[in-house]
């Protein structure tokens, strides 16, 4: 579930509130897609594939690199998440955020007490042919 405001920081905080459930053995699973522009999905173009590559790169940098920084209670990561719509290719990949926010909720739910997130990149599919770049992550 997502907070109805679709605000990234509010949904991040929702994930942080869920984090203690992991200690009780609860699996927190989120689904979404790193690319969710249905018009572009069915009508790919060089521009939308480039946007998906740029946004996918931003997601990996944010969720893998910035998530391991525990300085300042991970303010760099929280700032990046709150301003995701300013990332390269963001709105081309997500005209609306409801399919991206579950990624942020589960990342926050996977964070430790200092706000660090141990992120594993499960797979990355580069843009090619008719496909846009997408990735899958695990947070623990």
């Amino acid at each position: 579930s997502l907070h109805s405001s679709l605000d990234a920081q509010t949904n991040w905080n929702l994930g942080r509130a869920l984090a203690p459930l992991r200690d009780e053995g609860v699996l927190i699973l989120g689904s979404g897609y790193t690319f969710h522009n249905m018009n572009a999905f069915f009508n790919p173009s060089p521009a939308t594939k480039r946007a998906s590559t740029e946004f996918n790169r931003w997601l990996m940098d944010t969720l893998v690199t910035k998530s391991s920084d525990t300085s300042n209670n991970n303010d760099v990561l929280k700032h990046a998440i709150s301003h995701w719509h300013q990332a390269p290719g963001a709105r081309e990949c997500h005209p609306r955020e409801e399919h991206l926010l579950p990624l942020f909720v589960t990342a926050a739910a996977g964070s430790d007490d200092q706000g660090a997130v141990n992120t594993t990149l499960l797979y990355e599919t580069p843009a090619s042919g008719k496909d846009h770049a997408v990735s899958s992550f695990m947070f623990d």
Side-chain angles (χ1 to χ4, degrees), residues 18-110:
L18 295 173
L21 294 173
R22 291 180 333 205
D23 296 335
E24 297 177 27
V26 174
L27 173 66
I28 301 168
L29 183 67
S31 66
Y33 210 55
T34 57
F35 181 88
H36 202 272
N37 178 333
M38 296 312 288
N39 184 47
F41 187 79
F42 292 109
N43 301 293
S45 70
T48 61
K49 287 193 270 185
R50 183 173 42 258
S52 72
T53 298
E54 291 171 352
F55 188 63
N56 208 48
R57 197 173 306 131
W58 178 86
L59 278 172
M60 286 190 286
D61 179 55
T62 300
L63 296 173
V64 177
T65 306
K66 290 180 176 68
S67 66
S68 62
D69 177 14
T70 59
S71 62
N72 299 319
N73 197 25
N74 219 333
D75 288 341
V76 173
L77 175 62
K78 288 189 284 188
H79 182 269
I81 296 299
S82 291
H83 295 87
W84 72 269
H85 55 279
Q86 296 172 353
R91 283 297 182 190
E92 291 88 349
C93 295
H94 287 277
R96 288 187 39 94
E97 48 270 49
E98 70 272 11
H99 293 278
L100 176 66
L101 291 176
L103 182 64
F104 299 157
V105 171
T106 54

